[in-house]
Amino acid sequence: MQDLVQSGGWMMLPILIGSVVALAIVVERFWTLRPSKLAPPETLAQVRVWLQKGQLNAQRLAALREQSPLGRILATGLANARHGRDIMKESIQEEAAGVVHDLEKYLSTLGSIAAIAPLLGLLGTVIGMIDVFAAIMIHGTGDAAQLAGGISQALLTTAAGLVVAIPAIFFHRFFLRRVEEITVSMEQNAVHLVDLVHGDREATPAAGAAS
């Protein structure tokens, strides 16, 4: 493996750095983007119980906010519930925008690596082929084995770039899809909360609950 890296020339270095960064992002996003952690299914049911029993207070709101990103969104909505349905929805949307931004953290970097890695590989190959043809001009084409070896080494960077780019593209799209699914789940929970507070459902907020 070390011989292959050395044979590819100095352009292998940024490709290797990109592969390490991409791997770190994939591992971190797998750990962070867990639906059970970001949008626990029991959160809305817990809030519904608090509303029905008139147990919602500042302490419970603070605990809800610290519980999960979904809890942050719901707590923000509840804190502004007394200002009316429209203000509550606007506050939820603003908080949700910040949450989604956090969910997409590092994904632009992963996408950039997926786009740049094959270009770096191609650049390395072009540089290698230039060296090969320069050697032909100086020494001629007498040693076919040496020329074939030089061309093979030049193509290593293209192969390395593709090896990094292909999984990076896959995981970039995979995580974007996961973020979209989590976002939809949070939006549905937020809509249900607004209906609970200002709609015709059973629960109504206790007086001064969000204060």
Side-chain angles (χ1 to χ4, degrees), residues 1-10 12 149-150 152-154 156-157:
M1 182 64 180
Q2 184 177 356
D3 292 339
L4 289 176
V5 173
Q6 292 177 345
S7 298
W10 64 270
M12 290 291 286
S152 175
Q153 291 178 5
L156 282 175
T157 53

Side-chain angles (χ1 to χ4, degrees), residues 163-183:
V163 167
V164 174
I166 291 172
I169 292 173
F170 170 80
F171 283 112
H172 180 253
R173 294 183 178 180
F174 173 82
F175 288 129
L176 284 178
R177 178 61 179 172
R178 175 166 290 188
V179 168
E180 181 180 346
E181 292 173 350
I182 294 172
T183 302

Side-chain angles (χ1 to χ4, degrees), residues 9-26:
W10 64 270
M11 284 302 299
M12 290 291 286
L13 179 60
I15 295 175
L16 286 175
I17 293 174
S19 68
V20 173
V21 174
L23 179 60
I25 292 173
V26 168

